[in-house]
Structure formats: structure tokens, C-alpha cells
Amino acid sequence: MIEFKEFSFRYREGEAPVVRDITLSIPDGCFVGITGAAGSGKSTLTYAINGIIPHCYPGDFYGSVTVEGLDTVETSLTDISRVVGSVCQDIDSQMVSTVVEDEILYGLENFAVPKDEIPARVDEALAAMGIADLRDRTIDSLSGGQKQKVAVASVIALQPRVLVLDEPTAELDPASSVAVFDLLARYAREHNTTVVVVEQKIALLSDYADMLVIVDGGCIRFGDTPDAVLAHSDELLALGVNVPRATTLMNALGAQGLYDGPTVRNVAGAAVALKEVLA
Ligand SMILES: Nc1ncnc2c1ncn2[C@@H]1O[C@H](COP(=O)(O)OP(=O)(O)OP(=O)(O)O)[C@@H](O)[C@H]1O
């Protein structure tokens, strides 16, 4: 369980809190998608989960954040990182090795995983991200998308109970983004891992997330199932969230009393719904 209780945070260099009065409970095994406009505070929320706030970025911390019962202020960054695996936005800054396999080994050795478990953990992590063929490649020779998969694999190898990912598909084309979310979701299901992912593509998020959190100006505007959130497409658009046009269209037809089916998330869904409307 991840629990934010009336959490607010002001970076030491900032004038005012950039996230305010955040109260949110994320149950174990939940797949949470966080989205919102640029600068709304999404990354700051992830830093509060993985302990970067307040351990690396000091400032005024109000309220509390607990992860699996650990208070992130009172617990050391090392102890938090045994529970929370993070993939940050700047993948290059996260890479510490020159070869893919070494990158995965690095974390396992640092966390003192028993030597006899290590080969299987490396194999499983590479397979989970579908990058077994990259094992011996140098990191420098990889594309941005491949690096993102390596970064996720390195974290998955540590088998954290919570995974925090900040825009893990930013460098990927739509098909590869879907593939990464498929792999992530499958991994999370099989290991009962809680996943918190910041992602701009709300349509993609909606297909995987149990809960969508919409952040605006440092506050949570919506925190609910994807369908319940997407039902507010006009408000989402006003907040700068990139709502699928298919959703906006069907919600508009709903407002006119012409459609009363489930929330539509994509063109395929709209096609099915429109057939019913026109029948
Ligand atoms: N280390 C820092 N020191 C001071 N202010 C910061 C720091 N990091 C972020 N901020 C400020 O906090 C606010 C929220 O930033 P944050 O990165 O959490 O938003 P975001 O929604 O993740 O943005 P983006 O989508 O651009 O990554 C912004 O105004 C940003 O300038």
C-alpha cells in the first residue's frame, strides 16, 4: 500500500509548494497511471514515493507518505530502494555500465542478491522486457527505446514490491509503447507488484491502469478508474490532458442524449458504439 496523507512539498529553491494536499491510497498490486500537463507535479509525486524527496531534494515536506508501511521521511533511501524500484525520466543518467548485462548485474550485486540466484534473475528480467538479444550490446549502441527497456529490466531484476516509472515510453513509437505496457502489466500481475507510471498518453494508460490520477497545478483533480475519469473529457481537455478524440466525440453524443453506453477510449471502441447509435 502506498499512502499519501495531506502531503504538500515545496522545493528548497521554490517559492511555493508544487504539490498540495495530496491524499491518495494505492492498494497493493494496483496499476496506477499519473498524467497531467507539463509542470503539474507528476514527477514530484513519484519522488515522494521513491524517497528522492526529501532525501535528495530537500525542502518543506508536510503530511506523510508511506510505502509498504515505511515512512519515506524516516526511512533511508537505501531501505526505500529495496522496496521501490524506479525508472527515471532521464534514462542516460540512470545507466551506470557500458554493457546491458552488466547494467542488470550492477543492481543485483549492490543489493547483495545471493550469487546462485543472479543468473536466473538476469534471464528473467531480459525475457520480461523482450530484450534477451541485447544482453551483450553496449549501452551506447542502443536506441532510446532500447535503453528504456534495459532500464526497466534492471529494476525488474531486483523484484521490488513497487515500481515507479516516469514516462517509460517517451522514446518509443506507439507499437513499442504498447509492447512495453503489455510486458509491464504482465510482470506486475505475475509478481503482484504495485506500478505507478507517469505517462502523457492517456489512451494507452487507460488500457492498463486500474486507477488514473490527473494532476493539475500540484493537486489531484481526478483519481478513479479510467472510464470514470474519461467521462469528464471536457474538463480534462481544459486541464491540458490529451483526451482521445473518440472519447470526446462519444461523450459529446452522450451529452446530447444520443449515446448512453460505456466510456469509449479509442477509435475501435467508437466504431462499435457508433454502430449501435446508428442502428
Ligand atoms: N529540483 C527542483 N527544484 C525546484 N523546483 C522544481 C524541482 N523539480 C521540479 N520543480 C518544479 O516543480 C514543479 C513540478 O515539477 P514536476 O517535474 O513534478 O512536474 P511534471 O508534471 O512531472 O512536469 P513534466 O511533465 O514537465 O515532467 C515545476 O514547476 C518545476 O519547475
Side-chain angles (χ1 to χ4, degrees):
M1 166 88 88
I2 300 171
E3 214 155 17
F4 289 86
K5 278 195 191 147
E6 295 172 12
F7 167 66
S8 299
F9 185 75
R10 180 182 72 81
Y11 287 99
R12 183 179 282 167
E13 300 77 15
E15 284 177 6
V18 294
V19 293
R20 292 190 306 277
D21 285 328
I22 303 291
T23 293
L24 178 71
S25 292
I26 301 175
D28 287 346
C30 192
F31 196 118
V32 180
I34 301 180
T35 196
S40 55
K42 305 180 293 295
S43 298
T44 302
L45 290 181
T46 67
Y47 300 157
I49 297 171
N50 60 24
I52 288 181
I53 285 173
H55 298 287
C56 301
Y57 291 141
D60 294 334
F61 189 115
Y62 305 95
S64 67
V65 180
T66 53
V67 180
E68 304 275 323
L70 302 175
D71 182 310
T72 57
V73 174
E74 285 166 10
T75 310
S76 71
L77 203 51
T78 309
D79 286 342
I80 296 172
S81 51
R82 290 185 191 285
V83 176
V84 184
S86 304
V87 176
C88 61
Q89 229 172 7
D90 180 2
I91 293 296
D92 286 322
S93 72
Q94 183 158 349
M95 299 286 174
V96 290
S97 307
T98 44
V99 173
V100 169
E101 183 175 33
D102 295 344
E103 182 66 28
I104 297 173
L105 285 171
Y106 178 84
L108 292 168
E109 285 164 0
N110 259 317
F111 276 68
V113 171
K115 275 203 163 45
D116 58 338
E117 279 183 33
I118 289 183
R121 293 261 203 121
V122 174
D123 290 349
E124 194 202 5
L126 288 168
M129 280 295 112
I131 51 168
D133 56 322
L134 301 182
R135 180 190 283 259
D136 299 320
R137 290 272 297 274
T138 58
I139 304 274
D140 280 352
S141 71
L142 304 179
S143 68
Q146 287 170 325
K147 282 187 199 169
Q148 282 185 316
K149 288 182 186 171
V150 172
V152 177
S154 313
V155 171
I156 276 178
L158 304 173
Q159 300 183 346
R161 296 208 291 279
V162 175
L163 260 176
V164 174
L165 307 110
D166 199 346
E167 303 206 23
T169 69
E171 301 277 340
L172 299 173
D173 58 57
S176 304
S177 301
V178 169
V180 164
F181 267 73
D182 269 345
L183 294 165
L184 257 181
R186 183 175 349 133
Y187 175 85
R189 246 191 337 268
E190 286 170 0
H191 293 78
N192 194 32
T193 310
T194 307
V195 177
V196 179
V197 56
V198 173
E199 175 62 66
Q200 298 287 356
K201 303 165 197 136
I202 191 170
L204 177 68
L205 265 189
S206 302
D207 283 339
Y208 293 91
D210 302 305
M211 186 197 299
L212 267 189
V213 172
I214 310 292
V215 187
D216 173 53
C219 299
I220 293 182
R221 284 301 179 95
F222 296 99
D224 210 330
T225 61
D227 282 354
V229 173
L230 286 173
H232 300 272
S233 51
D234 287 347
E235 286 155 271
L236 295 175
L237 284 171
L239 298 178
V241 175
N242 202 3
V243 184
R245 268 188 255 176
T247 306
T248 322
L249 168 70
M250 295 314 296
N251 286 354
L253 289 176
Q256 301 285 325
L258 297 170
Y259 174 68
D260 67 356
T263 305
V264 163
R265 298 176 185 172
N266 50 38
V267 173
V272 172
L274 280 171
K275 267 189 199 151
E276 280 173 29
V277 169
L278 298 171

